[in-house]
């Protein structure tokens, strides 16, 4: 039953029309220089508490940066960084990271049936998101995923779908989902020249 509800929610999210992608990737590459310490110039995170952002959809990245800029989402570093970005810079840096390609491979011997049921309808079995409203989870550290799910569970982060899903998960289920996606091998290919 829960799987049917999740699939239905995923379908509703897909039903909306996505706004046109804007931004200049080359201009965004220059802006990404200030992101490289944590997220890497290619979007492959350099530190375990930062997510991989290479290959994420531009619209998703723009929404997250705008949320940090407005205060709807808070983080001690990202709130400061985003507050200094203009709307054009948000579009450009998002276009730069979106121009990369993220691919994932399950670890040898992993049974796809073991993927976390509460997550796959939106984030995919291998952690490459099924639609633009969900981030990729492939290769994220288990501590990052665990922390974000617990933030949704406790209401420290808000999202119309994620709060309910996280609230229904036990800490053991959260850790199992985090461990599943952390074990996936992620590759982020360079943006085309």
């Amino acid at each position: 039953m829960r799987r049917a509800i999740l699939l239905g929610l995923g379908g509703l999210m897909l039903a909306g029309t996505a706004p046109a992608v804007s931004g200049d990737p080359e201009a965004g590459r220059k802006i990404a220089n200030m992101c490289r310490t944590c997220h890497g110039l290619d979007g492959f995170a350099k530190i375990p508490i930062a997510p991989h952002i290479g290959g994420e959809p531009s619209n998703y990245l723009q929404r997250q940066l705008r949320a940090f800029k407005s205060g709807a989402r808070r983080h001690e570093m990202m709130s400061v960084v985003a507050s200094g970005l203009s709307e054009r810079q948000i579009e450009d840096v998002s276009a730069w990271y979106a121009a990369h390609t993220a691919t994932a491979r399950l670890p040898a011997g992993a049974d796809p049936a073991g993927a976390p049921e509460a997550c796959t309808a939106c984030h995919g079995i291998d952690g490459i998101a099924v639609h633009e409203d969900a981030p990729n989870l492939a290769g994220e550290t288990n501590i990052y995923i665990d922390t974000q799910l617990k933030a949704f569970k406790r209401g420290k982060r808000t999202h119309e779908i994620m709060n309910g899903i996280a609230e229904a998960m036990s800490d053991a289920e959260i850790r199992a989902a985090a461990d599943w996606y952390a074990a996936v091998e992620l590759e982020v290919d360079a943006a085309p020249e």
Side-chain angles (χ1 to χ4, degrees):
M1 175 68 172
R2 185 161 104 174
R3 186 169 184 82
I5 291 170
L6 292 175
L7 287 172
L9 289 172
L12 286 174
M13 290 173 70
L14 287 171
T17 58
V21 175
S22 57
D24 176 3
E26 276 309 305
R29 184 183 194 287
K30 293 174 185 142
I31 299 160
N33 278 315
M34 76 172 128
C35 310
R36 71 184 315 152
T37 301
C38 299
H39 297 287
L41 189 58
D42 61 355
F44 194 91
K46 303 298 182 192
I47 60 173
I49 60 169
H52 304 300
I53 58 175
E56 293 284 7
S58 179
N59 291 328
Y60 173 80
L61 294 171
Q62 288 181 43
R63 279 193 305 279
Q64 298 312 304
L65 286 169
R66 288 181 187 120
F68 284 123
K69 184 176 176 109
S70 73
R73 184 173 177 194
R74 291 187 175 91
H75 182 270
E76 57 275 2
M77 178 61 74
M78 286 304 304
S79 296
V80 171
V81 170
S83 70
L85 295 175
S86 69
E87 183 60 26
R88 184 64 198 187
Q89 288 173 317
I90 287 173
E91 292 172 0
D92 291 346
V93 75
S94 297
W96 165 253
Y97 283 116
H100 292 72
T101 303
T103 56
R105 185 173 43 252
L106 294 179
D111 180 1
E117 186 177 327
C119 308
T120 59
C122 297
H123 300 283
I125 290 171
D126 64 358
I128 298 296
V130 178
H131 55 79
E132 289 193 354
D133 288 335
N136 295 331
L137 298 179
E140 298 293 2
T141 62
N142 53 10
I143 193 166
Y144 177 80
I145 297 170
D146 185 273
T147 300
Q148 297 308 307
L149 282 169
K150 287 178 178 169
F152 284 122
K153 182 174 184 165
R154 296 180 179 122
K156 292 181 179 178
R157 277 191 72 183
T158 58
H159 185 270
E160 61 274 5
I161 295 173
M162 282 306 304
N163 291 106
I165 289 171
E167 286 170 10
M169 295 174 78
S170 68
D171 285 350
E173 289 172 318
I174 286 173
R175 187 53 185 224
D179 289 345
W180 174 269
Y181 288 118
V184 174
E185 184 180 325
L186 174 70
E187 289 185 23
V188 176
D189 296 330
E193 293 290 326

